[in-house]
Amino acid sequence: MSKALEKANIVEQAIGEYSSKPAEGSVPRYVVGKPNIFSPEIFLARVQEVMDSGWHTNDGPMVQRLEAFAAKSFGVSNCIAVANATLGLELLLQALNLPAHSKVIVPSFTFVASVHAIVRAGLRPEFCDVDERGMIDCAHAESLIDSDTSAILAVNIYGFACDVGRLESIAQRHRIQLLFDSAHGVGVKTSTGSLGQHGSAEVFSLHATKIVSGFEGGLITTNNASLASALRLARNFGFSGYDQVSCVGTNAKLSEIHAAMALTNFEGLESAISHNAKIFCVYEKELSPEVRLISPLASESSNYQYVAVKCPAGLRDHILDHLLKNGVFARRYFYPGVHQMDPYRACQVDLPRTNALCDSILCLPTGPPVLAEDAVQIAALFNAGLSISR
């Protein structure tokens, strides 16, 4: 492994998931997931509103405004704001009252939080392979269902969607729960409706690097009123009254400042999607024909949250090495597959498409901070890295 790639690994560990703050001595010009704010002026005005109100957390008016705005945007009856998407997944898995130690089918090609949430809810992950776009393989998922299976947790990645219609049919046929980790999916639409409307519930991320940022935060969407009620109780320690606790809960509340940030960026969602789409088209035009971008299907509308490029076999890390040397902080995302991480190695499953993607995918910088001319330059550096890596 080259010194530059070793440095990249150290930087990734130091930075942590999704963060865009470079480690000391490493100041990349272009970063995957650099935060943006749709309107600093509107956000700061809302901060002042929060400060003047004296209501900073505990289901305040800003959180309620965010939930109402998001529910309307998603086209659902209930939207529950939480401190982050990981807690959202944990709360959801617990609120569904799935049998203890039952199995939840989940792709290994995902961020590790998807799987951690299953384990922390007292359930067992059953790793599933993915298709060529990195979406859960529906046929493989169905083949894994047995009497111990209680749910499928599908993951919508990169701003695209898996086959939600087919998954819903599978879940109904086998009478199991269907959940979606849609952390990347705000604003994504499919032939069966907007993400947020599917399964028992979906969970979205408002992390600082997502297309709708709340600094931190998450949203759970559902059309199940009783489930929504259970989630609202659980996010606030289980309190159903001033001093009455009705269930085991936790502190998963979203603060008013976080809600103000998320609401502001949610209002700018269409602008951000339009910008991302233009940058995606620049990469599509400028990158070598030897590589392929993960692209939306004809039946879906993407938010282009990530630009994910499939590199030729054995060349991805050499290209990454070249990009890092030239100030482009690209990411091997996702890498490695969760089934190859230390807590889950004992599962010993054969997931050939997952392994192939983990060895070939590279995500390039995008988002409003990246201009068209930046994408042209990054693509040129990528192509140069591809050429010299042979």
Side-chain angles (χ1 to χ4, degrees), residues 338-353:
V338 179
H339 71 291
Q340 295 180 326
M341 295 180 178
D342 286 345
Y344 304 107
R345 286 183 185 275
C347 296
Q348 294 185 347
V349 290
D350 182 26
L351 305 174
R353 285 188 295 276

Side-chain angles (χ1 to χ4, degrees), residues 61-362:
M62 200 66 72
V63 164
Q64 294 176 40
R65 286 166 61 182
L66 169 64
E67 290 179 338
F69 186 95
K72 183 177 180 180
S73 297
F74 288 122
V76 296
S77 55
N78 302 283
C79 183
I80 302 93
V82 289
N84 57 64
T86 304
L87 276 172
L89 287 170
E90 291 183 18
L91 288 175
L92 177 57
L93 287 162
Q94 292 164 357
L96 289 169
N97 293 315
L98 302 175
H101 309 299
S102 60
K103 296 192 302 185
V104 177
I105 295 169
V106 64
S108 174
F109 192 68
T110 183
F111 180 51
V112 70
S114 308
V115 183
H116 282 349
I118 294 170
V119 175
R120 289 174 60 82
L123 304 165
R124 290 182 291 152
E126 176 89 352
F127 289 114
C128 180
D129 212 349
V130 293
D131 61 22
E132 292 185 353
R133 299 173 73 232
M135 306 298 168
I136 188 169
D137 183 328
C138 296
H140 187 214
E142 185 165 21
S143 73
L144 295 173
I145 296 173
D146 60 25
S147 59
D148 289 332
T149 305
S150 61
I152 296 174
L153 175 57
V155 186
N156 295 305
I157 62 171
Y158 298 148
F160 309 124
C162 53
D163 192 340
V164 292
R166 186 175 176 187
L167 286 168
E168 287 183 324
S169 295
I170 292 171
Q172 290 171 7
R173 185 160 57 249
H174 293 276
R175 298 181 181 181
I176 60 175
Q177 296 283 352
L178 174 62
L179 322 172
F180 290 92
D181 178 343
S182 297
H184 302 173
V186 176
V188 177
K189 296 178 174 60
T190 75
S191 59
T192 58
S194 170
L195 288 188
Q197 302 174 0
H198 302 94
S200 298
E202 297 191 44
V203 180
F204 298 83
S205 175
L206 301 176
H207 186 272
T209 59
K210 295 299 183 289
I211 195 166
V212 172
S213 163
F215 296 119
E216 277 282 6
L219 298 170
I220 310 172
T221 60
T222 181
N223 284 314
N224 184 324
S226 61
L227 177 59
S229 179
L231 290 166
R232 291 186 187 280
L233 283 175
R235 76 173 174 183
N236 187 28
F237 304 101
F239 277 105
S240 56
Y242 184 75
D243 54 7
Q244 180 178 353
V245 176
S246 302
C247 67
V248 176
T250 189
N251 184 3
K253 301 184 300 293
L254 188 70
S255 81
E256 290 289 275
I257 294 295
H258 289 87
M261 178 69 155
L263 179 60
T264 301
N265 286 322
F266 222 132
E267 291 171 343
L269 176 59
E270 292 307 315
S271 174
I273 290 176
S274 176
H275 178 89
N276 284 357
K278 292 175 182 176
I279 298 303
F280 185 90
C281 289
V282 172
Y283 278 124
E284 198 169 39
K285 176 183 176 183
E286 298 293 332
L287 287 171
S288 168
E290 293 184 64
V291 302
R292 186 168 71 84
L293 279 67
I294 304 296
S295 303
L297 302 175
S299 59
E300 70 182 1
S301 174
S302 176
N303 66 15
Y304 298 95
Q305 170 79 66
Y306 292 92
V307 175
V309 183
K310 294 177 72 173
C311 304
L315 301 185
R316 190 269 311 276
D317 288 355
H318 297 288
I319 297 169
L320 176 59
D321 188 336
H322 181 76
L323 290 172
L324 289 167
K325 287 177 180 177
N326 288 277
V328 178
F329 187 61
R331 287 206 60 186
R332 300 177 296 179
Y333 190 61
F334 304 99
Y335 177 87
V338 179
H339 71 291
Q340 295 180 326
M341 295 180 178
D342 286 345
Y344 304 107
R345 286 183 185 275
C347 296
Q348 294 185 347
V349 290
D350 182 26
L351 305 174
R353 285 188 295 276
T354 295
N355 294 336
L357 281 175
C358 289
D359 290 339
S360 65
I361 286 287
L362 195 61

